[in-house]
């Protein structure tokens, strides 16, 4: 990924939520993952807009599951990272780890 395609913090969190949720990666589950593990409360529209943008970049793919009576016949949309998305997420992690290397908890370079 070139620097023009750098992932923002929330994009990374959304992608990590998709990975954490695995086969159950749908909107409500992703919101729960973000709140539980990142301490971030976000709206449904925020997560869907972010996932839509990531899908437009080819980093995430989505599909509709089966409709269920519990949801009034409405099908859930599920998400997964594409191979390119996983690579981009790993690249972002590596960059951050390189930047943190040599910086202590107080924020001083060693």
């Amino acid at each position: 990924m070139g620097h023009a395609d750098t992932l923002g913090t929330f994009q990374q969190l959304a992608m990590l939520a998709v990975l954490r949720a695995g086969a159950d990666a749908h909107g409500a589950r992703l919101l729960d993952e973000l709140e539980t593990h990142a301490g971030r409360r976000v709206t449904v529209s925020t997560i869907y807009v972010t996932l839509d943008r990531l899908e437009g970049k080819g980093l995430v793919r989505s599909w509709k599951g089966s409709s269920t009576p519990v949801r009034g016949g409405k099908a859930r949309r599920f998400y997964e990272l594409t191979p390119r998305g996983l690579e981009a997420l790993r690249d972002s992690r590596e960059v951050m780890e390189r930047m943190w290397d040599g910086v202590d908890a107080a924020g001083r370079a060693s």
Side-chain angles (χ1 to χ4, degrees):
M1 262 183 91
H3 74 89
D5 294 327
T6 303
L7 295 172
T9 302
F10 188 72
Q11 289 176 322
Q12 291 178 58
L13 291 174
M15 293 170 76
L16 286 164
V18 168
L19 288 178
R20 294 184 68 88
D24 196 32
H26 58 84
R29 174 68 190 274
L30 299 177
L31 293 175
D32 183 56
E33 289 290 337
L34 288 166
E35 185 170 352
T36 301
H37 299 287
R40 299 279 294 261
R41 290 186 68 118
V42 297
T43 64
V44 173
S45 61
T46 299
I47 191 70
Y48 284 130
V49 165
T50 301
L51 291 167
D52 188 50
R53 287 182 181 149
L54 290 168
E55 192 165 17
K57 293 180 178 185
L59 304 177
V60 170
R61 79 172 197 95
S62 70
W63 67 95
K64 286 199 176 201
S66 308
S67 60
T68 61
V70 173
R71 293 177 40 84
K74 189 174 180 197
R76 273 197 170 126
R77 180 162 291 280
F78 290 90
Y79 297 87
E80 72 179 5
L81 268 58
T82 63
R84 187 169 157 226
L86 184 57
E87 179 183 352
L89 191 58
R90 285 182 177 146
D91 288 349
S92 291
R93 178 182 183 168
E94 289 172 13
V95 168
M96 291 305 289
E97 287 173 349
R98 283 195 307 272
M99 290 301 293
W100 274 104
D101 189 35
V103 176
D104 68 17
R108 294 182 298 260
S110 52

